């Protein structure tokens, strides 16, 4: 009988956070505040741009414009909290910032300036939100049409589509009197260098808030040089609460509703791409149920927008880039950002303070963030088998279609309004093209069945043991314990 081996010391018990996914981890309060503020600064300019554009086109007085902005910030915060924290079947529970979609700007300006006014806009917005709520489960089932070939292409298009935004900020802000002045570009370049320097040489915590540090340092430099004016802070009220239907009861006009329903489809397409991108960056793959929950949150937020005097809501792609750049995956960080937005919506003076940040400062930080989104798409495409000529064609044509309205904004001006609404968004145009071409080249041509999945995820399940070797040009991909394709170390 063999001699018993003495038992060794008991194995250490796992720490309480050992089984907690990084998405669900709650950082210390001081980190939540810093990381959350960073997300707010990254999206603030875009968030207030939509009410400014729509209200300006309608010739609203300054007091009404200010009301639209505070209402927008309040609902932005509520929408972000719904998406990040979630309740029941609402919210994807990932680090997603919500804001007003630019896809709705043209239709809303048309509705508001052709006699319908804000009540007609809000009636159409409420119906669009209800439509998104109803269609969310259907859209969730379409996730199988988004293999790595499609998702990588969409993420790449998202990043490239945002580059003109960063460029306009760096030049001084579109429509500014000194647009393109060397001083503006020099300030943006300085902020870019600060962000890169902090990310490369600073301690770990500071490197993760490199964007915030860059914006703060840029603001400190910009104030004595006369780049900003804090006069609006003194004029703003301390407290302001948005009340339902402030501009009158909603009016439901058929033509306005039809145009906004087209916007709803665009919102769902763009949000799908953003949710998949964040899932890749955080290592928590978005499943059909989670996608439906995220879209359902978009629908609820859009309904709230129509009730509380603001506009349709969607996931903000610029904050996707911030997640990838900082490698902070906690949804509670973005939830903290949502809380800050609620405060900004209730305290107009704070909102005016953030609004005083010069556009070139945001531009320098935006170049890094938006470039990170594009680079993440390239990384996803590396494992999608681009050695296959068909896959390369899918990426090439989708990228061209997605970039066409970005490079030539007036290219579709002669087309009907509904067509412009869909195709003027490079993200929705490129996404639809990628999905359709993937079906044509990798599904229909192979005789039916489920859509082909390109890249490493194709060899999953029982068939993986006898799967042929990878397509030429496909990069090796490390497996993760949860079985998902390996993503970035974030």
């Amino acid at each position: 009988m063999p001699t018993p081996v003495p038992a060794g010391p008991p194995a250490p018990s796992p720490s309480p956070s050992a089984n907690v996914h990084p998405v669900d981890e709650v950082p210390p309060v001081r980190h939540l505040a810093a990381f959350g503020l960073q997300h707010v600064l990254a999206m603030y300019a875009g968030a207030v741009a939509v009410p400014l554009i729509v209200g300006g086109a309608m010739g609203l007085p300054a007091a009404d414009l200010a009301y639209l902005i505070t209402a927008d910030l309040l609902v932005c915060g509520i929408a972000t909290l719904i998406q990040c924290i979630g309740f029941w079947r609402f919210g994807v529970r990932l680090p997603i910032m919500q804001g007003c979609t630019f896809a709705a700007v043209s239709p809303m300006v048309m509705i508001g300036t052709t006699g319908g006014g804000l009540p007609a806009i809000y009636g159409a917005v409420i119906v669009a939100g209800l439509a998104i709520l109803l269609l969310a489960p259907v859209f969730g089932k379409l996730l199988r049409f988004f293999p790595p070939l499609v998702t990588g292409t969409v993420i790449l298009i998202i990043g490239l589509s945002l580059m003109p935004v960063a460029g306009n900020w760096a030049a001084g802000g579109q429509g500014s009197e000194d647009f393109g002045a060397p001083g503006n570009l020099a300030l943006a370049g300085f902020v870019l260098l600060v962000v890169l320097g902090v990310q490369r040489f600073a301690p770990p915590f500071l490197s993760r808030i490199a964007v915030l540090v860059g914006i703060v340092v840029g603001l400190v430099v910009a104030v004595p040089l006369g780049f900003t004016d804090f006069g609006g802070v003194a004029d703003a009220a301390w407290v302001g609460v948005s009340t339902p239907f402030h501009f009158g009861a909603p009016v439901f006009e058929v033509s306005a509703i039809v145009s906004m329903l087209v916007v709803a489809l665009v919102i769902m397409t763009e949000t799908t791409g953003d949710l998949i991108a964040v899932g890749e960056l955080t290592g928590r793959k978005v499943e059909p149920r989670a996608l439906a929950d995220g879209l359902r949150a978009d629908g609820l937020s859009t309904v709230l927008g129509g009730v509380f005097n603001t506009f349709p809501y969607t996931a903000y792609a610029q904050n996707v880039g911030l997640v990838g750049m900082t490698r902070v995956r906690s949804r509670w960080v973005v939830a903290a950002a949502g809380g800050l937005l609620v405060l900004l919506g209730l305290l107009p003076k704070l909102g005016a303070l953030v609004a005083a940040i010069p556009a070139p400062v945001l531009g320098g930080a935006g170049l890094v963030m938006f470039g990170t989104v594009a680079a993440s798409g390239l990384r996803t495409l590396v494992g999608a088998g681009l050695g296959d000529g068909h896959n390369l064609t899918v990426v090439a044509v989708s990228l061209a279609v997605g970039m066409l309205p970005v490079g030539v904004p007036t290219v579709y001006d002669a087309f009907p309004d509904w067509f412009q609404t869909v195709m003027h968004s490079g993200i929705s145009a490129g996404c639809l093209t990628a999905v359709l071409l993937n079906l044509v080249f990798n599904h229909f041509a192979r005789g039916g069945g489920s859509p082909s999945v390109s890249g490493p995820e194709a060899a999953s399940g029982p068939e993986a043991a006898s799967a042929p070797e990878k397509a030429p040009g496909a990069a090796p991909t490390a497996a993760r314990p949860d079985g998902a394709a390996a993503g970035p170390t974030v």
Side-chain angles (χ1 to χ4, degrees), residues 240-263:
V241 180
S242 178
T243 56
F245 306 126
H246 174 79
F247 296 98
V251 175
F252 300 95
E253 295 183 355
V254 175
S255 59
I257 290 172
V258 170
S259 64
M260 206 56 67
L261 288 176
V262 176
V263 172

Side-chain angles (χ1 to χ4, degrees), residues 382-385 387-388 455-459 467-479:
V382 165
D388 184 328
E457 292 183 7
E469 62 182 17
K470 284 187 177 181
T477 307

Side-chain angles (χ1 to χ4, degrees), residues 190-216:
F190 170 74
V191 172
L192 174 61
L193 290 176
V194 171
V195 172
L196 295 176
V198 172
Q199 192 174 22
R200 174 63 181 85
F201 299 107
F205 171 69
L206 282 179
S207 70
R208 292 187 173 187
I209 56 169
V211 170
L212 177 59
V213 173
I215 290 174
V216 171

Side-chain angles (χ1 to χ4, degrees), residues 377-479:
L378 289 174
R379 180 178 48 212
T380 301
L381 286 173
V382 165
L386 292 187
D388 184 328
H390 286 174
N391 288 350
L392 195 62
T393 299
V394 171
V395 176
V397 176
S398 302
L399 191 60
V401 173
M403 289 295 98
L404 188 58
V406 177
V408 189
T410 59
V411 65
Y412 297 122
D413 280 4
F415 285 76
D417 292 334
W418 67 267
F419 186 88
Q420 292 186 44
T421 300
V422 176
M423 299 302 290
H424 266 164
S425 167
I427 298 172
S428 62
C431 182
L432 292 173
T433 304
V435 170
L436 292 175
L437 289 182
N438 181 61
L439 288 174
V440 170
F441 282 98
N442 292 322
H443 175 56
F444 297 138
R446 300 184 183 183
S450 60
S452 169
V453 178
S454 307
E457 292 183 7
S460 61
E463 302 88 350
S466 58
E469 62 182 17
K470 284 187 177 181
T477 307

Side-chain angles (χ1 to χ4, degrees), residues 143-213:
L143 192 60
R144 62 196 183 100
F145 296 105
F146 288 83
L149 177 66
V150 173
T151 59
T153 303
V154 172
I155 296 169
L156 176 60
I157 291 173
I158 290 172
L160 294 179
S161 297
L162 289 169
M163 283 301 173
V165 176
N168 282 322
W169 286 346
Q174 198 164 18
S176 62
E177 295 180 359
D178 61 344
F179 186 85
N184 291 337
L185 296 172
L187 179 58
F190 170 74
V191 172
L192 174 61
L193 290 176
V194 171
V195 172
L196 295 176
V198 172
Q199 192 174 22
R200 174 63 181 85
F201 299 107
F205 171 69
L206 282 179
S207 70
R208 292 187 173 187
I209 56 169
V211 170
L212 177 59
V213 173

